[in-house]
């Protein structure tokens, strides 16, 4: 029941209309009997939004495109990992002190940990914000990184930051890796036939992970499965970053099955499975 003491959490993004975060966080709040609600806001200006968070005592926020970097100057403290990545996706309001974290990087490595990352060669396709978070998460675990990207300058820049090797997209067929992670939007609905990594470079036993989760099984994952690779869908990372946010706000680890089921029951994901 919503009362005068109900707390508020939110997601700040623009556009934010298709965000699945309200669904999963409200489900977890309800399941854990926490007197709070989670809403989506679409501010024009992140500085003004942060003033509102402070003045209205909003307890925490998920930060999404396009504010992950521009929010940083308006925070009181930024976690060292988020500083290195240069992006914040979670704000915790600790008694008026706004603290910024990045749960994307640990989320990217969480589904891979069971397979072991240390001493493996990991190829990241893409060099944008998602790639940065994934690359730093892998680096922390001791993996050897290859970056490939459509635009050379961005790819080289990321490779430089994470002490990885850059291989141009034109030479993607030559890449020999134990793990491939697609961090680009290639393969996302409606362009579901697009392949972010060539079939001929996929070998049995490789681990192939996609951050795209609409469709849940992208062309990359179908192709990889047919080639005998181990596949990890994009929902794994999406849910892991949300779960880590929930933990930062409440100290409680949410039930992963409930979170996954709430996403799978939404029309946008269901239609694309
Ligand atoms: P995000 O924060 O979601 O990672 P981003 O910072 O805009 O988004 O980065 C998108 C990444 O996907 C980039 O690496 C981009 O390549 P460029 O650096 O060349 O722009 C990559 N990308 C997007 N669309 C692509 C496409 N059709 N083919 C190949 N790479 C693509």
């Amino acid at each position: 029941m919503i009362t005068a003491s109900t707390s508020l959490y939110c997601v700040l993004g623009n556009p934010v209309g298709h965000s699945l975060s309200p669904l999963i966080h409200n489900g977890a709040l309800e399941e854990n009997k926490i007197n709070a609600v989670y809403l989506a806001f679409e501010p024009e200006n992140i500085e003004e939004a942060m003033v509102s968070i402070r003045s209205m005592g909003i307890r925490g926020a998920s930060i999404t495109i396009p504010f992950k970097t521009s929010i940083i100057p308006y925070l009181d403290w930024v976690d060292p990992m988020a500083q290195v990545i240069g992006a914040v996706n979670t704000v915790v309001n600790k008694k008026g002190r706004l603290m910024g974290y990045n749960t994307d990087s640990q989320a990217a490595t969480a589904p891979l940990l069971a397979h072991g990352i240390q001493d493996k060669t990991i190829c990241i396709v893409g060099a944008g914000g998602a790639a940065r978070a994934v690359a730093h998460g892998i680096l922390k675990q001791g993996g050897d990184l290859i970056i490939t990207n459509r635009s050379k300058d961005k790819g080289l820049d990321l490779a430089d930051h994470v002490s990885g090797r850059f291989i141009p997209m034109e030479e993607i067929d030559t890449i020999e890796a134990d793990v491939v992670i697609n961090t680009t939007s290639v393969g996302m609905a409606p362009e579901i036939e697009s392949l972010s990594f060539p079939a001929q470079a996929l070998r049995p036993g490789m681990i192939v992970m996609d951050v795209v989760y609409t469709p849940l099984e992208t062309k990359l994952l179908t192709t990889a499965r047919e080639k005998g690779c181990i596949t990890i869908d994009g929902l794994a990372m999406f849910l892991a970053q949300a779960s880590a946010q929930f933990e930062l706000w409440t100290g409680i680890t949410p039930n992963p099955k409930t979170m996954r089921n709430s996403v799978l029951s939404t029309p946008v994901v269901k239609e694309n499975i």
Side-chain angles (χ1 to χ4, degrees), residues 45-48 50 54 70-76 98:
N45 180 307
I46 193 65
E47 184 178 5
E48 287 171 13
M50 297 320 283
R54 283 181 202 278
S70 55
I71 191 173
I72 290 176
Y74 309 110
L75 297 168
D76 299 312
L98 302 187

Side-chain angles (χ1 to χ4, degrees), residues 31 239 254-264:
E31 186 170 64
L239 294 175
N255 182 338
K257 273 201 191 127
T258 311
M259 278 196 154
R260 194 170 172 95
N261 288 341
S262 32
V263 174
L264 290 178

Side-chain angles (χ1 to χ4, degrees), residues 16 39 72 78 86 103 131 162 188 202 218 238 267:
V16 84
L39 298 175
I72 290 176
V78 177
T103 65
V162 297
M188 190 185 282
L202 296 170
T218 56
F238 176 69

Side-chain angles (χ1 to χ4, degrees), residues 65 126-131 149-151 154 169 183-186:
I65 291 169
N149 191 48
R150 182 177 59 180
S151 61
K154 267 171 81 179
M169 270 245 154
T183 69
T184 73
S185 52
V186 176

